[in-house]
Amino acid sequence: MNDSPITRFAGATGQTVSPVQPATAGRPAVLSLSIKEKAALYAAYMPYLKNGGIFVPTNRTYQLGDEVYLILTLMDDPTKFPVAGKVVWISPAGGGSRQPGIGVHFPGDEAGLNARKRIEDLLGSALKSARPTHTI
């Protein structure tokens, strides 16, 4: 599948990613990720990163260190969390049983901290689960 600005990538149940704007020279790609279910949020969240992070399903090619601008919507909350992050994990298409996508590390700024806090509030005790995720 080719992620163009008009396609949607339906990931694990409860996730939708819309590439809003592809990356151009000097500008990060803009992605919109909507997670509707707690299980999908658990599978996508990356709590072991310093500022937290999230797995974004995509078939588009990224490099480690690429900047992306993510518009994150969580569960039934109408609030959109705009986060400018960096790619720190890559699961390439055709990589076996893993879902293709990227891990985006949240920045240490207010936007990143707000996204991390909201995710951890939603996950609560599920953060201690040993269930597998999209990354580890």
Side-chain angles (χ1 to χ4, degrees):
M1 171 198 278
N2 181 11
D3 285 347
S4 69
I6 58 171
T7 61
R8 288 186 175 270
F9 185 101
T13 304
Q15 285 184 325
T16 305
V17 177
S18 297
V20 177
Q21 176 184 341
T24 57
R27 290 185 58 189
V30 179
L31 298 169
S32 177
L33 175 63
S34 178
I35 299 180
K36 307 240 183 251
E37 298 173 1
K38 190 174 184 177
L41 181 58
Y42 172 82
Y45 184 52
M46 301 170 75
Y48 46 83
L49 296 175
K50 179 180 178 183
N51 301 316
I54 196 103
F55 179 82
V56 181
T58 183
N59 283 323
R60 178 172 284 153
T61 302
Y62 289 90
Q63 301 298 317
L64 291 175
D66 282 354
E67 292 185 14
V68 294
Y69 188 77
L70 181 63
I71 301 167
L72 184 61
T73 307
L74 303 168
M75 313 290 266
D76 295 329
D77 188 344
T79 305
K80 294 185 186 303
F81 294 91
V83 179
K86 289 196 180 216
V87 175
V88 295
W89 178 279
I90 299 173
S91 288
S97 62
R98 285 205 182 269
Q99 182 173 17
I102 57 173
V104 177
H105 187 201
F106 296 154
D109 64 10
E110 185 176 351
L113 296 174
N114 287 341
R116 180 180 189 162
K117 180 174 180 353
R118 183 64 182 134
I119 290 169
E120 290 181 354
D121 287 348
L122 287 167
L123 290 176
S125 64
L127 282 170
K128 295 180 174 132
S129 175
R131 291 178 298 171
T133 68
H134 292 302
T135 55
I136 294 181

